[in-house]
Amino acid sequence: MSAAGGLREPRVDLALAHEHGLTTEEWGNVLEILGRTPTFSELGIFSVMWAEHCSYKSSKRYLKRLPTEGPQVIEGPGENAGVVDIGDGLAAVFKIESHNHPSFIEPRQGAATGVGGILRDIFTMGARPIASLDSLRFGPIEDPKHRYLLQGVVDGVGGYGNPVGVATVGGETQFHECYRGNILVNAFNCGVVEQDKIFLAKATGIGNPVIYVGSKTGRDGIHGASLLASAEFDEGSEAKRPTVQVGDPFTEKCLIEACLELMRTDAIVGIQDMGAAGLTCSSFEMASSGGTGIDLDLDLVPQREVGMTPYELLLSESQERMLLVARSGEEARVLEIFERWDLDAVVVGRVVEGGHMKVAWHGQTVVDIPVDPVAANSPELERQVVEPADLRERQKLDLAAVMPESDLGGALEALLDSPNLGSKEWVWRQYDQLVQGGTLIGPGGDAALVRVTREDGTPTDKALALSVDCNPRWCWLDPYQGAVAAVAEAARNVACTGAKPLALTNCLNFGNPEKPEIMWEFAEATRGLGDAARALDTPVVSGNVSFYNETSGRAIYPTPTVAVVGLLEPWQRHAVSHFTSVGRDVVLLGESREELGGSDWLALRRGLEAGLPPSVDLAHERALHALLAAGVAAGVIETAHDVSSGGLALALAEAALTGPEWIGAEIELDDPQRPDALLFGETTGRVVAAGAAAERLLDLAREHGVPARRIGRTGGDRLRIRPAAGEAWIDAALERLHHVWTNALPRRIGAAREE
């Protein structure tokens, strides 16, 4: 096979393969598959498709153990996004993905293109994107670089999501030393589709045209998937800035509308986003999924730079591009729709028999590769797994040796003032939370709640509850229990609205998989995810693995971020996370145990990240979900707020402060444990509930087997928490607490602006 005359390309050999991230064994596999030395373009294809980011070669043996099926699941992992049945012929389509390394190198564009990519994953399935969440993690906010990264990422998320017209309705933002060298930017989106209009990424129908649509191809993003997302950072990583893509939300908006318009016809048989690895990944995966091959002509690809080589055209990760397969004879209709939306649309190939990808450039074949070995049958590694040598030491905590808190009110203020527990309003005020008009509960609550409307504008009585969660400190102390807790909390947050949790998507952020300790963390975390998902009947329908999140040998804490989607019907009756009225009884659902291991109080007030995190009783969590659904439906639960980071005292303060008006509470606790553990311990499976009919709620709790007790009443302008006998532990004016809480981020960002 020869390349076009005049094309100067490097000599392809083992050394060049190593530069492209292939191992010696993988290079041998390439030679065996082809029966010859690959062309430079073919080497690029193998390097990106077999890179960790695209092939999942270190993780897929563990991902296969996750539960992915259920009566509610229409499409599980393997497609662009997961799809679950929400009744009446409708489905929810959702996924979470990472854009970590690009966002560290260029925060605004890295975050923006992360949002753009996840939106394309959703509307590729035929769904209209309706709501986004983000999960952001940075190094210490005291570090000027991380204030810069925070501002850039938030600007990127809002700067893309706002003009494209998709509401950002919730998320989480955290800070920790372990992210100093690798921030995390995980983007989630959910859309709604008619079940008979779901589209898959398959190239079927011999002779059908393969059509390129969207923006023109440039040189941005080349090797983003293989060399940027599939390797550790080091001192030279800043030089990789050119590999970060540049996004255009206005083009994306046109692409959404053009694709959805096309999908209302019968002209299209398959469609795929050109995401990581661009034209290469989309074409190979579509052909492999369809059991076919594709002939491509790169001369027909719309280009915005001159002199682009086959290698560059195949590996470019330019944004706002899609590859679709139309029915033969429908080319004119497809092209007309995209031209009307001022988007490029060009027939660049055909579906063929034989299972090969053949790529022409300047009249000659530059690629001829069987698709299955590259896509469906990519390498699967069995990496060594070893428990970290210091794990047992991390888990040691003698509570008797931990000095009790002498100033409980001061401790509450300190927690409210911490960057992790303080208000994130500074972040979400920069996002459009209301566009499309479906937001019932936006940022600041346990879960977002978004109304479901059909594509033709017909409203329904359905709403989707959305939450994203992970406690990395818990996952570092015990990856199994930390992952179980992430699933449990995200599902509990959804249940607090009154919704039934349906399914989850995950973004598994870890360090270098070549290190046995990292693979042990990954194996334990996925085991925990699987056990929790099975117990709570929330199968894993989509997700993403992000390895190599470490710099100069220092890894992030394991961060298996979990997003759960639930269904509420009718939406008119739902609970909120804040106190709604004066004179409501406050009821604690679940039991408090004397647990301070892994808590925010222990880290903030004692400087210790140690101990075992609280365990999760999954049977109790299921019963709690059922109780919350019944209580909200019956109207006896108006407020339901999860007790999590910061403990019971923080949950009560948040319930008092986060509504349209502040409403205080008088709380009495009689638990026989040390006060700091009672107030700031993070025992799982607890919810602060409030309503006008405490006895009915307590009766419901007994019916569902959930421990419950009345602990107080709402009213006044103070939060008082006291024991059954003696003076109040906490007696704080809401005005003071609100000032501390709302300024936790702004006062630190303000300091950054003054420097």
Side-chain angles (χ1 to χ4, degrees), residues 21 184 351 375 446 512 673 694 704:
L184 300 185
V351 178
D446 284 348
N512 185 343
Q673 56 181 268
H704 286 83

Side-chain angles (χ1 to χ4, degrees), residues 99-318:
H99 227 224
N100 302 335
H101 286 181
S103 299
F104 186 80
I105 290 174
E106 213 305 302
R108 191 183 191 282
Q109 287 300 335
T113 52
V115 173
I118 199 65
L119 291 175
R120 289 192 296 280
D121 282 337
I122 302 309
F123 71 77
T124 295
M125 303 291 293
R128 177 172 293 280
I130 62 170
S132 293
L133 307 174
D134 55 34
S135 178
L136 314 176
R137 289 180 169 85
F138 303 90
I141 196 172
E142 292 75 18
D143 183 335
K145 179 173 183 177
H146 283 271
R147 292 197 292 269
Y148 156 76
L149 290 170
L150 168 67
Q151 291 167 317
V153 166
V154 171
D155 187 35
V157 171
Y160 202 99
N162 294 355
V164 85
V166 178
T168 302
V169 295
E172 56 178 352
T173 305
Q174 293 185 340
F175 305 87
H176 193 280
E177 175 65 32
C178 76
Y179 303 109
R180 188 184 289 274
N182 285 260
I183 66 173
L184 300 185
V185 175
N186 295 175
F188 165 96
N189 188 263
C190 181
V192 173
V193 65
E194 303 279 349
Q195 290 185 23
D196 61 355
K197 289 294 184 182
I198 296 170
F199 288 86
L200 305 180
K202 292 185 178 181
T204 58
I206 304 305
N208 277 338
V210 177
I211 304 179
Y212 172 118
V213 300
S215 293
K216 290 179 169 59
T217 295
R219 291 187 171 93
D220 47 331
I222 293 174
H223 273 301
S226 59
L227 300 184
L228 183 59
S230 301
E232 287 186 29
F233 272 179
D234 55 30
E235 291 80 0
S237 294
E238 294 283 357
K240 296 179 181 178
R241 189 178 301 269
T243 65
V244 178
Q245 312 95 313
V246 177
D248 179 356
F250 299 101
T251 298
E252 180 100 337
K253 175 61 175 174
C254 293
L255 191 59
I256 291 173
E257 299 304 331
C259 285
L260 293 179
E261 180 179 341
L262 177 63
M263 288 166 173
R264 289 192 288 270
T265 74
D266 60 355
I268 182 174
V269 297
I271 185 168
Q272 170 81 307
D273 164 38
M274 287 193 221
L279 184 57
T280 290
C281 192
S282 56
S283 58
F284 271 86
E285 289 185 351
M286 289 184 76
S288 182
S289 296
T292 61
I294 291 177
D295 285 351
L296 281 178
D297 186 345
L298 293 180
D299 294 337
L300 301 175
V301 172
Q303 301 169 41
R304 56 179 162 81
E305 298 187 49
V306 298
M308 292 190 71
T309 66
Y311 181 98
E312 293 171 330
L313 289 166
L314 288 165
L315 271 61
S316 169
E317 294 181 8
S318 294

Side-chain angles (χ1 to χ4, degrees), residues 69-75 83-86 500-503 537-539:
E69 298 179 345
Q72 70 273 47
V73 178
I74 297 174
E75 290 291 339
V83 186
V84 295
D85 185 354
I86 60 173
K500 173 180 172 52
L502 291 178
D537 190 24
T538 52

Side-chain angles (χ1 to χ4, degrees), residues 174 421 471 489 600 642-647 650-651 654 680 682:
Q174 293 185 340
L421 301 178
N471 187 322
E489 184 172 350
D600 277 271
D642 169 44
V643 179
S644 57
S645 298
L650 195 88
E654 289 172 337
F680 307 120
E682 297 172 4

Side-chain angles (χ1 to χ4, degrees), residues 4 43-44 57 68 126 146 204 235 264 269 337 381 480 489 610 680 694 702 745:
L43 176 64
K57 57 188 175 183
T68 60
H146 283 271
T204 58
E235 291 80 0
R264 289 192 288 270
V269 297
I337 288 174
L381 302 181
Y480 174 82
E489 184 172 350
F680 307 120
R702 281 189 287 272
L745 282 186

Side-chain angles (χ1 to χ4, degrees), residues 34 91 207 209 238 274 280 292 301 309 380 423 433 450 462 502 509 531 580 605 618 665 684 687 696 731:
L34 296 179
E238 294 283 357
M274 287 193 221
T280 290
T292 61
V301 172
T309 66
E380 181 175 316
S423 170
Q433 312 131 44
V450 182
K462 305 175 190 293
L502 291 178
N509 306 275
D531 286 351
T580 58
R605 300 290 278 183
L618 292 167
T684 62
V687 169
R696 287 181 62 197
D731 185 357

Side-chain angles (χ1 to χ4, degrees), residues 726-744:
E727 295 186 2
W729 290 318
I730 294 173
D731 185 357
L734 297 186
E735 184 175 8
R736 169 64 184 171
L737 296 181
H738 187 267
H739 175 79
V740 170
W741 180 67
T742 55
N743 281 288

